[in-house]
Amino acid sequence: MFEEQRLFGLATNLMVGTVVFSLIAALIVFRFLTVRLRMLSESIEAFRASGFTTPVPLTLPGKLDDEIYRLSAAFQAMSERIAMQLGQLEQVDRQRRELLANVSHDLRTPLASMQGYLETMLIRADELTSEERNRYLQVAVKHCERLGKLVQDLFELTKLEAHEVNPQIETFPIAELAQDVVQKFALKAQKCQITLVAKCEPDCPPVRADIGMIERVLENLIENAMRYTPVGGEIGVEVRPAGARVELRVRDTGEGIRGEELHNIFDRYYRVDRSESGGTGNAGLGLAITRRIVELHGGDIQVESAPGLGTTFIVDLAVA
Ligand code: ADP
């Protein structure tokens, strides 16, 4: 009888022990799962609170490759992607607003001048001499041309940035093109009392590129060199082979560009001297267009400059 009671007691203890142990084990497993779920939910909440801009790094305890771990990994990847895309959208929006502000500023200046001259002609029609009328008309036409250049540059850059331009690739002698473009600027250089020379190595191989676009690159660089080089200065256009590439250099003895400005000058709408308004027709788009064209050809453009001594732009293109 006593033995039976002892056995019964033992069995009861065992059962209670098993139940308690199972409960504790279930509690531990439950806690382990809820801790990880809570961490995941806190991480989601922190991401939401940051305005979906900062993904919160999440390191779960334990090294289980279970559903919770996979869920958190998917959430991490998703939050990083959302944050990146949101950042890109914000940047595009900022650029769009900047572009609108810059465009309206640059268009307003020549438009206002043109309007001023034309209105003066209307109001003072009876008093103006024919010379004055002519002069006013000439100024109005000049502003009109600047407006046209601005709109054309904007249109060109927008198309280049939207990848809507397909270069018509052909093989042509780059040295000859450089000579032709230099020739085109010879008269203007003479008027500005600037020496403009082309130096092309005779064994320079032809390149494979869109001839019109490379002409545009050369024109932009020479125009800039002329704009920033004082009377008595010198501009050199050099073409020389450099291994499997051809190097195109436009060098001037102008005012140069300060070191801290160098990495910005290829950004669209960047002008070192912001006081120089769009009324001059130079909206800071030239180098942005130039770089896009060079990149479209798989090439590279670099700049070296020393303030007060001059600037050299180096374009490299693939040989045919
Ligand atoms: P912009 O139409 O104002 O010339 P660009 O994009 O062609 O615009 O050039 C951007 C800026 O880079 C210019 O405002 C100018 O300050 C600087 N820059 C470009 N080329 C030269 C140069 N050859 N010498 C000195 N500064 C230059």
Side-chain angles (χ1 to χ4, degrees):
M1 184 70 185
F2 179 72
E3 191 61 20
E4 260 177 28
Q5 267 183 355
R6 215 170 67 88
L7 269 174
F8 182 73
L10 246 162
T12 316
N13 282 348
L14 200 71
M15 252 169 65
V16 171
T18 313
V19 169
V20 170
F21 177 79
S22 308
L23 266 175
I24 292 174
L27 220 70
I28 291 173
V29 171
F30 182 71
R31 184 155 170 73
F32 180 68
L33 287 178
T34 51
V35 159
R36 299 162 82 223
L37 277 173
R38 202 175 56 239
M39 284 176 77
L40 178 59
S41 121
E42 278 168 4
S43 174
I44 294 173
E45 183 52 35
F47 180 53
R48 198 189 62 80
S50 77
F52 304 101
T53 52
T54 324
V56 181
L58 179 64
T59 328
L60 293 179
K63 294 226 178 305
L64 284 183
D65 184 16
D66 58 358
E67 276 73 18
I68 298 181
Y69 174 79
R70 282 197 287 275
L71 186 67
S72 359
F75 165 69
Q76 281 272 289
M78 197 178 68
S79 60
E80 274 162 21
R81 194 157 175 79
I82 290 174
M84 192 190 75
Q85 288 188 336
L86 207 68
Q88 282 174 349
L89 277 177
E90 276 170 5
Q91 198 191 349
V92 168
D93 190 50
R94 206 171 33 248
Q95 281 178 348
R96 190 186 53 79
R97 271 184 278 125
E98 265 175 34
L99 186 82
L100 267 179
N102 285 326
V103 169
S104 41
H105 172 264
D106 287 343
L107 295 183
R108 211 169 41 218
T109 318
L111 253 181
S113 283
M114 219 159 63
Q115 190 181 355
Y117 279 99
L118 293 176
E119 276 175 1
T120 313
M121 282 181 67
L122 266 181
I123 296 164
R124 297 179 49 209
D126 300 336
E127 317 157 25
L128 288 179
T129 63
S130 66
E131 285 94 64
E132 279 174 325
R133 202 172 301 125
N134 240 338
R135 192 158 50 83
Y136 285 12
L137 275 176
Q138 271 170 9
V139 179
V141 167
K142 208 167 194 165
H143 285 299
C144 214
E145 282 168 0
R146 283 170 182 167
L147 262 182
K149 182 180 180 306
L150 263 175
V151 173
Q152 176 60 35
D153 280 358
L154 254 177
F155 184 61
E156 200 174 338
L157 183 61
T158 312
K159 281 208 320 193
L160 279 164
E161 286 186 341
H163 305 282
E164 280 175 14
V165 186
N166 284 326
Q168 305 296 311
I169 302 291
E170 56 184 306
T171 302
F172 63 91
I174 180 83
E176 260 177 46
L177 178 73
Q179 302 265 18
D180 288 352
V181 179
V182 164
Q183 199 52 44
K184 213 155 72 177
F185 282 90
L187 200 66
K188 193 172 172 196
Q190 205 181 356
K191 267 194 201 154
C192 300
Q193 297 172 41
I194 291 171
T195 313
L196 174 63
V197 286
K199 204 174 125 201
C200 304
E201 293 198 7
D203 58 342
C204 194
V207 296
R208 267 183 70 69
D210 182 312
I211 190 162
M213 288 190 174
I214 302 303
E215 186 174 359
R216 175 85 155 106
V217 165
L218 274 166
E219 283 173 358
N220 278 358
L221 295 178
I222 298 175
E223 258 171 26
N224 271 354
M226 304 233 340
R227 197 174 304 138
Y228 301 105
T229 302
V231 168
E234 197 185 303
I235 299 171
V237 178
E238 294 167 21
V239 184
R240 58 180 178 216
R245 320 282 295 174
V246 165
E247 213 174 74
L248 208 73
R249 282 174 176 256
V250 178
R251 168 185 55 78
D252 65 59
T253 58
E255 63 188 56
I257 306 164
R258 287 194 308 275
E260 65 269 25
E261 309 275 8
L262 277 180
H263 62 280
N264 295 323
I265 58 168
F266 293 102
D267 293 347
R268 65 169 132 111
Y269 271 109
Y270 191 85
R271 288 193 296 256
V272 172
D273 182 5
R274 293 294 312 172
S275 64
E276 185 199 302
S277 80
T280 60
N282 311 316
L285 297 174
L287 285 179
I289 293 175
T290 305
R291 183 172 64 176
R292 296 272 166 188
I293 293 179
V294 174
E295 284 173 354
L296 204 61
H297 285 83
D300 183 36
I301 181 162
Q302 301 285 337
V303 58
E304 291 168 1
S305 190
L309 293 176
T311 307
T312 305
F313 283 91
I314 307 150
V315 176
D316 99 317
L317 293 170
V319 298

